Amino acid sequence: SFSLNCAYFGIPCVGNNRADTQNILFPKLSFDVYNIEGALNATKRLKEDKEFYNECSNKSKLMYRKHYDIKEWKNKINLK
């Protein structure tokens, strides 16, 4: 998915909170589909607040490794 690709590279991604990958990888950037104002505010904050951008970027890479790294998938399907 798009959010998986973004998280792998640490690119913050604003998206739908009902998508599991989006919600796991970008919790501070996940919004209800009708919450346009929240998504717009987060987008502006990413642009203006370098610390927030870095926080979202680093968190996404961490969560990617924790939930979607190949080692995790092998563990989940018992291919240790």
Side-chain angles (χ1 to χ4, degrees):
S1 78
F2 184 75
S3 58
L4 279 170
N5 292 328
C6 288
Y8 178 82
F9 291 108
I11 302 167
C13 176
V14 177
N16 185 347
N17 66 353
R18 292 187 181 179
D20 290 343
T21 52
Q22 174 68 29
N23 215 15
I24 291 168
L25 299 169
F26 300 100
K28 291 186 176 183
L29 301 176
S30 300
F31 300 91
D32 183 70
V33 71
Y34 297 107
N35 186 357
I36 304 300
E37 186 175 336
L40 183 58
N41 288 338
T43 303
K44 287 179 182 177
R45 187 170 176 202
L46 285 169
K47 183 179 177 185
E48 297 168 357
D49 184 346
K50 186 172 183 143
E51 188 175 313
F52 179 67
Y53 182 97
N54 289 334
E55 176 187 344
C56 292
S57 173
N58 292 333
K59 176 79 170 181
S60 70
K61 290 187 277 187
L62 177 70
M63 298 308 287
Y64 179 91
R65 286 191 300 273
K66 181 178 179 182
H67 293 282
Y68 300 104
D69 186 70
I70 189 69
K71 292 176 190 173
E72 292 306 313
W73 282 104
K74 286 181 178 180
N75 286 337
K76 287 178 184 177
I77 59 173
N78 298 319
L79 293 177
K80 299 174 188 173

